[in-house]
Amino acid sequence: MPIYFDNNATTPLDPRVLEGMLPYLSDPVYGNPSSVHRYGRAARHALDVAREQVAQLVGAEASQLTFTSGGTEADNLALKGFAARQPGQRILVNATEHAAVIEPAQALSRQGVQVDFIPVDDRGRVDLQALEKELARGKVGLVAVMAANNETGVLQDIPAISRCVRDAGAVLHCDAVQIAGKLPFDMQGSGAQLVTLSAHKIYGPRGIGALIVDKTLELDATQQGGGQERGLRGGTENLAGIVGFGLAADLARQELNARASHARTLRDRLEAGLRRVPGTVIFGDGAERLPNTVQFGTPGFESETLLMSLDRKGIAVSSGSACHSGKTEPSHVLLAMGVPRELALSAIRVSFGQSNTIAEVDRFLEVFEGIVRGISAAIPNRGSVL
Ligand code: PLP
């Protein structure tokens, strides 16, 4: 049986979610939520229910939530919508953000917005002193710090960060794509005024996400159209996707504790096994991390080789962020943490989901150790392991 250990890249659609989506893909609910007739009203009702469900997952108000085509669009909307509404404001970005934040920040920088990066420590946590220094160096409009890193799973202390950001009169954007549904995340408690979510990381469909905007804040739309989503995101709503997102969020909220403790059991077993492989380094070790994520490096081995060998044995993992695969450059996340280039190039990310089992972890460890041993035997001075 193949083993899927790449749930931070995407999760399979929960069959309960699929079942709930089907009536919105053809019959009986095919209306456009903007239409005033009964078909439209039925669609509008489904949209409103889903908005509540998604907002509830992160303790937000439904009226603050805008559906987008995914986490990437929500991150883009947060940064570009803010910059368009408050031109000339400086933006600070955590160095380990996902490309969905870094790329729009760089695009804004090319357009003349002052963008600076905030460093992290060797465990991947935002350096609070460096953040305070940057905030004191000149007026800042927006700060972007993710709640949990997609590669290492490292959690940021968002409440502490948001206190610094608010004291400096700036706004905090928090990409909560990876934490939502895995650990409790409460928008109010976090202090963030902008929060990004995505459905396909929580067993919902792809191509649907959300940006939650605190009611004290206004953004400019980056996509104009028929005034949908309170004018913040024009375009006929992806109703089936939205319904699926709502159902997935509802299930994630109800099952959060069970999912987290299941993932923690698998992670602890995997880490105990990896610690027996000499030289193996778990990135972000000692920092608070997502219960389902382990990223590790094995000096002297290339992640692409390991990944392909694992794939041949039916085990799917990632070498870091799936969005970066194909590039042989080491992960910017690991480099920002000060991980040496060669070690960073050996990174493998395992991310568990609901259906993974202890037996799969044991099989992974057996196969991984076998691959490492095989490569070491074939090329004796390659790698310091085994
Ligand atoms: N932000 C983070 C932290 C992610 O992990 C991802 C997906 O990998 C995204 C944003 C992008 O979300 P989407 O795939 O829904 O565009």
Side-chain angles (χ1 to χ4, degrees):
M1 278 288 279
I3 298 176
Y4 184 74
F5 275 173
D6 202 13
N7 290 274
N8 283 10
T10 196
T11 51
L13 192 63
D14 188 312
R16 296 169 292 180
V17 172
L18 174 62
E19 196 189 333
M21 287 171 68
L22 288 174
Y24 297 88
L25 284 164
S26 55
D27 260 349
V29 194
Y30 45 80
N32 182 326
S34 298
S35 302
V36 292
H37 47 62
R38 69 188 58 208
Y39 298 90
R41 287 199 305 275
R44 167 69 48 195
H45 176 70
L47 192 64
D48 291 344
V49 170
R51 202 186 299 281
E52 280 287 348
Q53 289 170 318
V54 177
Q56 234 190 322
L57 177 62
V58 292
E61 281 178 34
S63 60
Q64 304 175 353
L65 189 145
T66 297
F67 286 112
T68 63
S69 64
T72 302
E73 188 192 329
D75 284 339
N76 270 264
L77 178 57
L79 271 72
K80 293 178 181 168
F82 180 88
R85 177 56 67 107
Q86 302 199 31
Q89 299 254 23
R90 203 169 140 226
I91 296 179
L92 299 182
V93 178
N94 157 38
T96 61
E97 289 297 294
H98 190 273
V101 169
I102 291 189
E103 292 295 325
Q106 282 173 341
L108 288 170
S109 160
R110 287 191 292 276
Q111 289 162 18
V113 176
Q114 194 186 337
V115 176
D116 293 300
F117 285 88
I118 322 161
V120 293
D121 65 15
D122 58 358
R123 288 172 182 173
R125 294 168 303 195
V126 161
D127 180 338
L128 279 177
Q129 279 184 346
L131 171 63
E132 278 172 352
K133 232 174 167 174
E134 279 298 335
L135 288 166
R137 205 161 65 80
K139 176 91 181 86
V140 172
L142 180 74
V143 179
V145 181
M146 69 204 320
N149 186 268
N150 45 298
E151 294 187 28
T152 57
V154 168
L155 305 179
Q156 300 295 348
D157 186 352
I158 296 297
I161 290 167
S162 78
R163 277 193 294 277
C164 299
V165 171
R166 271 178 192 245
D167 287 351
V171 163
L172 179 66
H173 167 250
C174 183
D175 180 325
V177 164
Q178 292 291 347
I179 199 168
K182 293 178 188 150
L183 286 176
F185 180 87
D186 177 68
M187 180 155 172
Q188 288 266 298
S190 78
Q193 287 112 308
L194 290 162
V195 169
T196 291
L197 301 171
S198 175
H200 73 104
K201 312 289 185 178
I202 57 166
Y203 308 94
R206 283 164 219 172
I208 188 77
L211 180 67
I212 311 179
V213 185
D214 187 90
K215 48 183 171 300
T216 57
L217 186 67
E218 288 197 348
L219 303 181
D220 275 5
T222 51
Q223 178 167 301
Q224 288 82 15
Q228 290 89 348
E229 298 297 287
R230 299 174 325 285
L232 195 52
R233 204 269 182 179
T236 301
E237 299 87 345
N238 166 8
L239 189 61
I242 289 171
V243 166
F245 193 2
L247 292 170
D250 211 34
L251 291 167
R253 187 174 53 78
Q254 290 170 41
E255 296 174 4
L256 190 135
N257 291 337
R259 290 184 190 182
S261 78
H262 174 64
R264 219 169 262 126
T265 306
L266 302 183
R267 183 189 67 179
D268 291 351
R269 187 153 182 118
L270 175 64
E271 291 191 356
L274 288 173
R275 286 183 212 286
R276 289 197 298 269
V277 182
T280 292
V281 176
I282 294 169
F283 300 122
D285 203 9
E288 290 219 52
R289 285 177 291 134
L290 289 174
N292 80 318
T293 309
V294 183
Q295 193 182 35
F296 61 94
T298 312
F301 295 89
E302 285 157 14
S303 54
E304 294 308 312
T305 312
L306 295 171
L307 202 136
M308 294 314 293
S309 307
L310 287 164
D311 188 42
R312 274 195 290 276
K313 299 275 185 185
I315 301 173
V317 296
S318 165
S319 59
S321 169
C323 311
H324 299 156
S325 57
K327 289 187 196 167
T328 46
E329 279 300 298
S331 143
H332 71 285
V333 174
L334 297 179
L335 293 184
M337 290 163 66
V339 173
R341 207 182 143 82
E342 200 217 355
L343 182 58
L345 281 168
S346 75
I348 291 287
R349 179 189 68 185
V350 168
S351 49
F352 298 120
Q354 290 179 69
S355 58
N356 292 130
T357 62
I358 287 272
E360 289 179 334
V361 175
D362 291 346
R363 166 96 185 118
F364 171 86
L365 285 166
E366 185 192 314
V367 169
F368 181 71
E369 287 185 35
I371 291 168
V372 164
R373 203 175 281 120
I375 296 175
S376 302
I379 314 166
N381 30 6
R382 170 91 166 277
S384 51
V385 183
L386 298 180

